[in-house]
Amino acid sequence: MKYIELTFKNHTIVHGFDARNREIIEEVEVKESSKKMVAIDRILSVSEKFILMQYAYNRIIYWEYEEGYEYVKEKLSKID
């Protein structure tokens, strides 16, 4: 399994959908950023501010990251 190390901050967890098909979300704000090793195969998409990843129990999570889009794009492009 291949990994990328990034520094994450606040995040939003999508727990699923309610009876009206609206997302059930949990906003998490943290005081300090922390470095994490993330399995590449869990990454669903990358934007300028967030990385969308698969999470436990069929959830998805939007992580706010610090490194910057171009840095992440370059790191991921070098992984074969």
Side-chain angles (χ1 to χ4, degrees):
M1 192 174 299
K2 297 178 183 183
Y3 293 87
I4 183 172
E5 181 180 27
L6 295 169
T7 308
F8 292 107
K9 300 190 276 190
N10 301 325
H11 52 284
T12 301
I13 303 169
V14 179
H15 292 278
F17 297 88
D18 66 14
R20 293 185 178 175
N21 205 32
R22 291 178 290 185
E23 290 180 331
I24 301 168
I25 60 172
E26 176 184 356
E27 300 283 342
V28 180
E29 292 188 21
V30 297
K31 292 181 182 180
E32 294 183 27
S33 303
S34 62
K35 287 192 179 279
K36 297 184 186 308
M37 296 291 291
V38 176
I40 301 299
D41 62 352
R42 290 183 51 204
I43 297 174
L44 300 173
S45 68
V46 178
S47 70
E48 290 185 11
K49 188 173 181 181
F50 296 99
I51 294 181
L52 177 62
M53 287 189 270
Q54 294 174 331
Y55 198 59
Y57 306 106
N58 295 322
R59 294 178 175 109
I60 58 173
I61 187 167
Y62 293 89
W63 284 100
E64 187 176 353
Y65 66 99
E66 291 185 349
E67 282 75 10
Y69 179 78
E70 290 302 322
Y71 173 85
V72 174
K73 182 179 169 183
E74 181 180 336
K75 284 286 202 181
L76 291 174
S77 71
K78 291 181 179 180
I79 297 171
D80 42 2

